[in-house]
Amino acid sequence: MLALLKRIAKTGIVSEPTPEVGDMRREIDRLQDEVLRILGRALTIREVDAGSCNACELEIHALNNPYYNLEGRGIKFVASPRHADMLLVTGPVTKNMENALKIAYECTPDPKLVVAVGDCGCGCGEIGRLFGPNYATVGPVEAVIPVDVKVPGCPPTPIDLMRGILAAVAKNRR
C-alpha cells in the first residue's frame, strides 16, 4: 500500500486541463438565444436511436445537464413523435429500426424537422462509410427519411448538436 501511495504522489495529477469556460459559456448562450429568437417558442425534440453505439446518446443527454441547460432555454425532449417538432436520429438505420423510423417520421406533425446525428447517421467518416446497405443496415438516415441537417462527428459535441438544431430551425424559417 505504501508503495502505491508513493507512486501516486510521484506521478501527480494525470488529467487534461479543463476547457476555457468563458468562451464555451458565451457560445452556448448565443446559440440558445438564437434558437429562441428564430423560433419564438419552445422546440420539442424526439430522439430516435436507429441503431447507434450510444456515444451520440451520451452527448445528447449532456444537452440536458445543468451546464448546457437546453430545457432552461425552451428546448425539450418529448417521449412521443406526435408531440415533437424535430426528430434527432442517431446511428446507421438497422433493418429492425427502418419501419419504426418511418412510423416516427409519419407521426411527427408538419412542418417536421429531421437532424441526422453522428458519422453513422450521416453516412460519413471512417465509421459511417462502413454502414452502407448490408444484411443488417439500410445505411444512413437519409436512405429512409428526408434529412434537413447533418451533424457529423463520432460522437459530435453538445455544441455541434446545438449548432445543428439551430441550423435546422433557421432553415425551416426561410
Side-chain angles (χ1 to χ4, degrees), residues 46-50 80-89 93 97-116 141-149 172:
R46 170 69 178 143
E47 198 272 330
V48 178
D49 180 349
S80 170
R82 294 182 195 281
H83 304 142
D85 300 311
M86 174 186 290
L87 293 177
L88 204 59
V89 186
V93 181
M97 283 299 294
E98 180 182 11
N99 195 35
L101 181 59
K102 286 178 181 173
I103 291 171
Y105 181 76
E106 291 167 6
C107 290
T108 306
D110 289 326
K112 52 189 124 191
L113 302 169
V114 177
V115 176
V141 176
E142 67 185 352
V144 180
I145 60 174
V147 171
D148 295 301
V149 172
N172 187 42

Side-chain angles (χ1 to χ4, degrees), residues 23-172:
D23 294 339
M24 190 178 291
R25 185 78 243 163
R26 279 189 291 275
E27 177 73 4
I28 292 167
D29 288 342
R30 188 191 68 74
L31 289 174
Q32 290 173 335
D33 290 343
E34 198 159 343
V35 166
L36 278 181
R37 184 186 60 77
I38 291 170
L39 203 59
R41 62 176 175 83
L43 174 71
T44 54
I45 301 172
R46 170 69 178 143
E47 198 272 330
V48 178
D49 180 349
S52 80
C53 67
N54 290 330
C56 293
E57 276 72 23
L58 291 173
E59 298 300 321
I60 291 170
H61 284 280
L63 291 172
N64 283 324
N65 69 25
Y67 187 78
Y68 294 103
N69 192 22
L70 203 62
E71 195 162 325
R73 296 292 182 151
I75 301 171
K76 63 181 180 179
F77 289 91
V78 292
S80 170
R82 294 182 195 281
H83 304 142
D85 300 311
M86 174 186 290
L87 293 177
L88 204 59
V89 186
T90 62
V93 181
T94 63
K95 292 205 175 185
N96 289 336
M97 283 299 294
E98 180 182 11
N99 195 35
L101 181 59
K102 286 178 181 173
I103 291 171
Y105 181 76
E106 291 167 6
C107 290
T108 306
D110 289 326
K112 52 189 124 191
L113 302 169
V114 177
V115 176
V117 175
D119 284 349
C120 301
C122 298
C124 60
E126 290 294 319
I127 301 295
R129 278 185 242 133
L130 293 175
F131 294 112
N134 60 39
Y135 72 95
T137 65
V138 293
V141 176
E142 67 185 352
V144 180
I145 60 174
V147 171
D148 295 301
V149 172
K150 296 178 181 178
V151 182
C154 188
T157 64
I159 293 287
D160 291 338
L161 290 168
M162 291 174 66
R163 286 183 182 132
I165 291 169
L166 175 64
V169 171
K171 183 178 178 182
N172 187 42

